[in-house]
Amino acid sequence: MTTLVVSSIGPASSVQDGGRFGAQRYGLTPSGAMDKLSLAAANSLVGNGLMAAAIEIGPFGATFVAKGGAVRVALSGAPRPADVAKRQVDINTSVTLAEGEKLTLGFARGGSFSYLAIEGGIAGEPMFNSLSVNARAGLGSPYPRPLQAGDVFEVAAASGAPDMRNELPKPGGAIRVVMGPQDDEFSEEMKALFLGSDWMVSATSDRMGYRLEGPPLRHLHGHNIVSDGTVDGSIQVPGNGSPIVLMSDRGTSGGYPKIATVITADFGRLAQTQAGTPFRFKAVTMAEAQAELRRYKDLLQSLPGRVSEIVSNEFDIDALFTANVAGHAVSATDVTTWLGATPD
Amino acid sequence: MADPFPSPRILPSGDSAVTVEFSRTIDETANRRVLALDHALAAAALGGITETVPTYRSLLVHYDPSVIDHDALVMRLLALSAGTLAPDGEVRRWRVPVCYGGEHGIDLEDVAKALALTPDEVVARHIAATYRVAMIGFTPGWSYLSGLDPSLQMSRRQNPRLLTPSGIVAIGGIQTGIQCLAGPCGWHLLGRTAMRTFQLHRAPTFLLEPGDEVSFTAVDVKTFAEQERAAEGGELIAERIAA
């Protein structure tokens, strides 16, 4: 049997896929990858379905060993140093681990979550068509909790397909929001402050919510509303005035006014924003948000077609850019071109 | 016939969901309208609606804008909201066994003291009412029930407990509720039930539906322990007494 063994891993790492939908009315949160574009990019490199389950790796390092045969994997998301037996592994590439070989991942640099997709996917018992881990509810498979050293994934033997690379467009600019549903709980002055201030993700953030540091926002009528439904990217403002963006493990309902909602196309980019990096919000209309959603979905669907064979493991990224062979690709080694969550 | 109810407010929740808000407060009529719209929407089987989340006073409608246009959806939601108050069909009713007080209801004595009642009176009033599942939210199976006897109304704990056991039956404000999983809770714990609103590998996985009616019955510690073991094996424990 071919397996991928977790020999070491930091906290905040778990199996995630496209999410668990259909039971939010029963309080079951969708969970799923924090950055679904990166999940899809990793999966596309090993020929999996775009939203197949992969290993979401938090900011700390991790090591994996192939046992019982060769295993083909791909890395996407937050850039980080990575190697297999001293061979460097770039972000947005696939690599085959021979039996006994170890993949070593360092700390994330510019971003929070990387995705390790395994050719053939992850074996587990789906619930509501999902393996995603929701640690609070004890759900997910094959391990219904954050990963730890010693965990073993049963995987398909490597197909022998060549190693691949992928190109992703360069994201950047403000995090776009649609105002509401409770923006009328805030004065025009407070809404202007929300849209005109620099924000930073607090270090206390997790998969449930990103606490934001910035000027406190005051409510017009107090901070309690009767609980109503939430979505990924709901920005609620509790009594202390510091907004919390609800992320993939959010509660399905909440009792604080929600000033705005992050658009789907920018949710993963916010998820990748590191603590201490300033960013801004920008309000867009519903029509603009939905046009961006179409572009985002088109980009996701285009990923398998963007995959190309790695001709050499030692190509010169600068030469590629100079020759414009890489088009709109971003540099995997220069994080400033990658997750530019900077104000526009 | 003119619609006896005002139109709900339609509020955007990002690019793929809208909130249909019937009231800003906890309101019996608003909750019935929420559930009526939820049923009407399910019956209409509109393409592009991916899931709905009923709450006390609003219905969150998740949709795929590549299948159904926002403005068209809003028109349908307003039309379906008009006129009706209650879902068609019989309401399901459940009798839920609760072990009140003692180690399973550690706040019962304090609640009784605060309300100038005896613990038995608190339990009797909690059992006497018929509740409606107004919403399920926050964590899997956490059921918010409306219909609490107003004499049992009291504000939530100053310091929420960070961890309470699974299956607690508690009161807070003008609500009572059943918490399925262990977790934090700021309400006052009256007792515990072996009934699981959510249980993996059981059919149905989720027992209660928004709109169901619930009443409670008292069981002793020994019965609770037996029911816990039966629940472990997948038994429903709650008794279905109507519909």
Side-chain angles (χ1 to χ4, degrees):
Chain A
M1 186 175 63
T2 309
T3 61
L4 187 69
V5 178
V6 180
S7 34
S8 72
I9 198 156
S13 301
S14 60
V15 169
Q16 296 294 338
D17 57 22
R20 180 177 289 115
F21 296 95
Q24 294 188 68
R25 61 191 289 107
Y26 303 114
L28 186 60
T29 198
S31 298
M34 293 281 271
D35 176 1
K36 293 192 175 71
L37 180 62
S38 295
L39 170 72
N43 275 320
S44 69
L45 286 161
V46 288
N48 292 348
L50 294 175
M51 290 294 138
I55 302 174
E56 180 179 271
I57 301 162
F60 304 98
T63 52
F64 301 89
V65 180
K67 297 270 191 190
V71 178
R72 189 161 162 259
V73 299
L75 188 65
S76 191
R80 59 177 81 216
D83 70 72
V84 175
K86 300 277 180 346
R87 308 187 315 268
Q88 184 187 318
V89 177
D90 291 326
I91 203 80
N92 292 320
T93 64
S94 71
V95 62
T96 301
L97 312 183
E99 145 68 32
E101 274 192 330
K102 181 187 277 189
L103 170 67
T104 304
L105 305 178
F107 278 58
R109 295 175 177 164
S112 297
F113 296 100
S114 301
Y115 294 85
L116 187 73
I118 305 162
E119 186 178 34
I122 286 174
E125 189 187 350
M127 179 199 174
F128 285 88
N129 300 313
S130 173
L131 299 181
S132 284
V133 171
N134 173 348
R136 279 165 210 269
L139 299 177
S141 183
Y143 299 101
R145 52 162 173 75
L147 293 170
Q148 55 197 44
D151 288 346
V152 178
F153 292 99
E154 286 179 34
V155 299
S159 66
D163 290 336
M164 309 298 276
R165 59 189 295 275
N166 202 345
E167 298 170 1
L168 289 178
K170 175 187 171 183
I175 300 294
R176 290 162 294 181
V177 298
V178 174
M179 296 305 286
Q182 283 99 25
D183 53 319
D184 59 351
E185 295 282 337
F186 301 88
S187 66
E188 292 304 319
E189 183 196 354
M190 281 300 125
K191 283 187 267 191
L193 187 64
F194 170 71
L195 294 170
S197 302
D198 282 347
W199 297 97
M200 286 192 290
V201 173
S202 150
T204 60
S205 298
D206 60 16
R207 281 182 47 88
M208 193 172 192
Y210 276 17
R211 293 164 192 281
L212 302 185
E213 294 169 354
L217 302 179
R218 290 189 308 276
H219 307 77
L220 278 175
H221 314 107
H223 63 268
N224 282 300
I225 61 168
V226 178
S227 288
D228 79 344
T230 66
V231 301
D232 282 358
S234 291
I235 305 173
Q236 63 177 23
V237 183
N240 65 10
S242 297
I244 300 172
V245 190
L246 301 185
M247 304 304 287
S248 300
D249 282 348
R250 66 188 155 82
T252 53
S253 59
Y256 297 119
K258 297 175 282 288
I259 190 170
T261 311
V262 176
I263 70 171
T264 306
D266 286 354
F267 181 81
R269 206 151 53 80
L270 176 68
Q272 292 287 20
T273 303
Q274 289 180 301
T277 304
F279 68 94
R280 287 194 181 204
F281 290 112
K282 178 185 175 188
V284 296
T285 64
M286 177 68 75
E288 288 168 332
Q290 294 190 337
E292 280 307 306
L293 178 61
R294 282 192 292 278
R295 278 195 277 276
Y296 173 77
K297 286 184 173 173
D298 288 346
L299 173 61
L300 276 181
Q301 295 307 319
S302 76
L303 288 170
R306 289 166 172 266
V307 169
S308 61
E309 211 171 306
I310 298 176
V311 179
S312 159
N313 278 325
E314 291 169 15
F315 61 77
D316 181 345
I317 192 81
D318 292 324
L320 278 176
F321 273 99
T322 307
N324 200 26
V325 174
H328 296 288
V330 298
S331 166
T333 52
D334 179 1
V335 299
T336 60
T337 69
W338 168 233
L339 279 156
T342 49
D344 53 11
Chain B
M1 194 176 77
D3 184 357
F5 306 113
S7 283
R9 296 201 307 160
I10 306 281
L11 309 171
S13 286
D15 50 44
S16 306
V18 291
T19 297
V20 186
E21 185 187 84
F22 291 92
S23 170
R24 293 188 177 212
T25 56
I26 292 182
D27 176 293
E28 174 102 7
T29 303
N31 188 243
R32 288 188 182 280
R33 293 192 70 195
V34 167
L35 298 175
L37 175 61
D38 191 37
H39 282 249
L41 206 50
L46 287 183
I49 292 181
T50 50
E51 58 186 298
T52 58
V53 183
T55 73
Y56 281 115
R57 42 101 176 202
S58 63
L59 184 71
L60 179 65
V61 180
H62 292 268
Y63 70 101
D64 179 350
S66 68
V67 179
I68 186 165
D69 175 73
H70 172 264
D71 294 345
L73 174 63
V74 169
M75 296 286 281
R76 288 303 297 270
L77 290 172
L78 289 173
L80 289 170
S81 299
T84 54
L85 184 60
D88 293 332
E90 300 275 319
V91 172
R92 304 194 309 169
R93 183 180 289 183
W94 303 91
R95 188 178 289 138
V96 174
V98 180
C99 182
Y100 285 99
E103 59 170 318
H104 297 313
I106 54 177
D107 294 329
L108 178 61
E109 299 271 346
D110 289 345
V111 166
K113 208 171 288 174
L115 297 174
L117 297 167
T118 66
D120 284 350
E121 284 170 331
V122 171
V123 171
R125 290 179 193 197
H126 195 253
I127 285 176
T130 297
Y131 304 95
R132 195 179 66 256
V133 180
M135 64 178 277
I136 300 172
F138 193 61
T139 55
W142 215 134
S143 304
Y144 295 79
L145 309 180
S146 63
L148 184 70
D149 184 328
S151 69
L152 296 183
Q153 179 173 342
M154 64 188 286
S155 60
R156 294 172 179 78
R157 287 173 57 82
Q158 286 285 350
N159 297 306
R161 293 190 173 93
L162 292 178
L163 187 64
T164 53
S166 63
I168 61 169
V169 173
I171 57 172
I174 59 165
Q175 307 159 78
T176 187
I178 306 167
Q179 175 171 298
C180 183
L181 302 175
C185 187
W187 294 15
H188 306 277
L189 313 191
L190 297 189
R192 236 181 124 191
T193 178
M195 189 245 331
R196 278 134 207 225
T197 51
F198 161 63
Q199 190 167 10
L200 217 53
H201 310 302
R202 181 192 66 191
T205 304
F206 294 97
L207 192 60
L208 300 182
E209 292 275 348
D212 283 4
E213 289 187 351
V214 169
S215 58
F216 295 108
T217 179
V219 296
D220 60 21
V221 176
K222 185 166 162 284
T223 307
F224 171 79
E226 287 164 8
Q227 290 176 335
E228 270 283 288
R229 279 192 292 279
E232 202 65 49
E235 276 187 43
L236 296 185
I237 304 304
E239 186 188 352
R240 188 157 171 187
I241 54 176

